[in-house]
């Protein structure tokens, strides 16, 4: 496994592998890797191509007062996880290498970026879309493997790839969870043992929403949301729900009558557990044909 720090060297390596007919599978990350990332690397490995993982804590997707400075970093541990998962190259640039020439260009996926997380983190998805567009131009992957936990990020990137005709296929892999249902995240490291235990309730309320829609055919999204909020208060009163929304999984439009909606439904939430902000979601096909 090689560690590459320069943009031009990564581009040459990717050009070389492409010229020999190899496929390139890419896992973009901000490091502090966990089992969820490893599962993305295994998915990349399954393509049979060269596997590239990037480790870069991207400053432009953090807002003022967010956790950029304290975001956990441990490159040696990350490199070990990558090696075990069969990664061929880690792309690990400095911020000065990625943003060397006073950039004046950014990528904004309108509308989708302003909803849900976008209301709480203005500018976040422009930072994400811009850095991922750059990473795609640097790594030149055939496939890019990302976790389903970041559903809105996936919707934004899917639209960017389609609108800008990137020749990269987005492969979305299932969220990996702790035993109590808590979605794995690098930010879970901020939680105390008690908070970590309580945070398992978030997955419970997502499942409860899905149950009401698929089994009870709930016709009023507001009632489903209210029931979820009540249940969370009952199970884990210390957790503060910031949003719990029922939308389609493409443009993230609200679905007022979910019981009769046909297609993929996304229930997504954000919650504060102490000072830590967590996101999670559940995605399911509602009223499938046949
Ligand atoms: O999901 C992440 O870790 C980041 O948002 C990404 C896609 C690596 C861009 O910095």
């Amino acid at each position: 496994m090689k560690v590459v720090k320069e943009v031009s060297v990564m581009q040459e390596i990717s050009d070389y592998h492409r010229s020999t007919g190899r496929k390139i599978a890419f896992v973009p990350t901000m490091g502090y890797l966990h089992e969820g990332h490893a599962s993305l690397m295994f998915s990349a490995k399954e393509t049979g191509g060269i596997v590239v993982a990037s480790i870069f804590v991207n400053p432009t997707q953090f807002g003022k007062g967010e956790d950029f400075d304290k975001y956990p970093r441990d490159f040696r541990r990350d490199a070990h996880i990558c090696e075990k998962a069969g990664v061929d190259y880690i792309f690990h640039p400095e911020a000065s290498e990625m943003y060397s020439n006073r950039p004046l260009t950014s990528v904004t996926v309108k509308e989708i970026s302003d909803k849900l997380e976008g209301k709480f983190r203005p500018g976040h998805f422009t930072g994400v879309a811009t850095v991922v567009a750059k990473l795609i131009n640097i790594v030149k992957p055939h496939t890019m493997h990302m976790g389903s936990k970041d559903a809105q990020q996936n919707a934004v990137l899917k639209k960017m790839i389609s609108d800008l005709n990137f020749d990269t296929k987005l492969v979305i892999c299932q969220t990996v969870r702790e035993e109590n249902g808590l979605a794995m995240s690098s930010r879970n490291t901020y939680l105390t043992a008690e908070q970590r235990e309580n945070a398992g309730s978030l997955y419970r309320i997502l499942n409860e929403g899905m149950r009401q829609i698929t089994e009870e055919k709930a016709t009023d999204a507001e009632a489903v949301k209210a029931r979820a909020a009540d249940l969370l208060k009952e199970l884990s009163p210390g957790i503060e729900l910031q949003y719990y929304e029922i939308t389609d999984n493409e443009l993230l439009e609200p679905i007022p009558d979910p019981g009769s909606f046909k297609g993929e439904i996304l229930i997504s939430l954000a919650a504060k557990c102490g000072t830590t902000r967590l996101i999670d979601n559940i995605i399911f096909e509602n009223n499938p044909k046949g």
Side-chain angles (χ1 to χ4, degrees):
M1 185 181 75
K2 279 210 170 96
V3 179
V4 179
K5 295 189 82 73
E6 297 83 16
V7 168
S8 59
V9 174
M10 190 68 243
Q11 284 173 322
E12 273 167 27
I13 290 169
S14 294
D15 283 341
Y16 167 74
H17 287 297
R18 278 185 164 255
S19 75
T20 64
R22 294 300 298 271
K23 298 279 185 220
I24 300 175
F26 177 43
V27 181
T29 83
M30 298 208 298
Y32 215 71
L33 305 176
H34 48 68
E35 275 176 54
H37 294 112
S39 78
L40 303 178
M41 290 164 190
F42 295 137
S43 155
K45 198 78 195 159
E46 270 172 18
T47 63
I50 296 291
V51 178
V52 181
S54 63
I55 297 180
F56 177 60
V57 185
N58 173 38
T60 69
Q61 69 189 74
F62 289 79
K64 269 202 189 106
E66 289 190 350
D67 56 345
F68 174 69
D69 288 328
K70 74 164 192 174
Y71 197 84
R73 294 159 169 91
D74 187 343
F75 183 73
R76 277 182 61 170
R77 180 177 158 278
D78 287 347
H80 183 66
I81 293 173
C82 288
E83 184 130 49
K84 268 187 31 197
V87 168
D88 298 291
Y89 297 93
I90 299 180
F91 179 54
H92 181 47
E94 296 293 332
S96 54
E97 175 73 6
M98 284 297 277
Y99 299 108
S100 57
N101 56 352
R102 201 170 75 86
L104 299 176
T105 309
S106 60
V107 180
T108 296
V109 178
K110 286 185 271 188
E111 296 176 31
I112 305 175
S113 297
D114 301 332
K115 298 169 178 166
L116 306 171
E117 281 300 283
K119 286 193 185 146
F120 291 84
R121 307 186 68 189
H124 169 67
F125 288 114
T126 292
V128 170
T130 305
V131 79
V132 173
K134 285 165 72 69
L135 288 167
I136 290 177
N137 285 332
I138 295 165
V139 176
K140 310 185 187 198
H142 295 85
T143 55
M144 182 164 73
H145 302 250
M146 308 201 71
S148 171
K149 187 184 79 96
D150 295 303
Q152 186 170 8
Q153 173 169 282
N154 293 337
V156 164
L157 295 177
K158 202 166 163 196
K159 192 77 178 96
M160 177 190 83
I161 286 171
S162 152
D163 286 352
L164 300 183
N165 305 100
F166 280 106
D167 191 13
T168 299
K169 186 176 163 233
L170 185 57
V171 180
I172 302 192
C173 306
Q174 259 192 9
T175 302
V176 179
R177 297 181 179 279
E178 313 247 348
E179 235 168 74
N180 70 349
L182 173 64
M184 291 210 179
S185 160
S186 307
R187 287 189 169 99
N188 290 353
T189 177
Y190 301 148
L191 300 172
T192 63
E194 193 188 344
Q195 287 172 334
R196 220 179 168 108
E197 200 41 57
N198 283 333
S201 308
L202 296 173
Y203 192 45
R204 288 272 304 273
I205 67 170
L206 289 168
N207 273 295
E208 171 56 19
M210 177 173 77
R211 191 195 63 75
Q212 286 185 58
I213 295 168
T214 54
E215 289 176 25
E216 291 178 9
K217 300 285 166 215
T219 53
D220 180 3
E222 291 309 315
V224 177
K225 286 155 68 170
R227 166 77 191 123
D230 288 348
L231 183 59
L232 184 66
K233 265 194 202 125
E234 218 175 285
L235 295 170
S236 302
I239 300 183
E240 179 206 328
L241 200 56
Q242 288 191 325
Y243 66 81
Y244 180 99
E245 294 295 342
I246 303 167
T247 64
D248 69 78
N249 191 26
E250 200 182 342
L251 297 178
L252 314 187
E253 302 282 5
I255 304 176
D257 170 2
S260 51
F261 182 84
K262 276 195 179 55
E264 208 165 54
I265 293 187
L266 164 71
I267 308 183
S268 50
L269 62 76
K272 285 287 279 281
C273 199
T275 52
T276 307
R277 194 166 178 281
L278 299 173
I279 59 167
D280 199 356
N281 67 70
I282 197 163
I283 298 168
F284 54 96
E285 191 66 30
N286 198 42
N287 297 317
K289 279 191 209 120

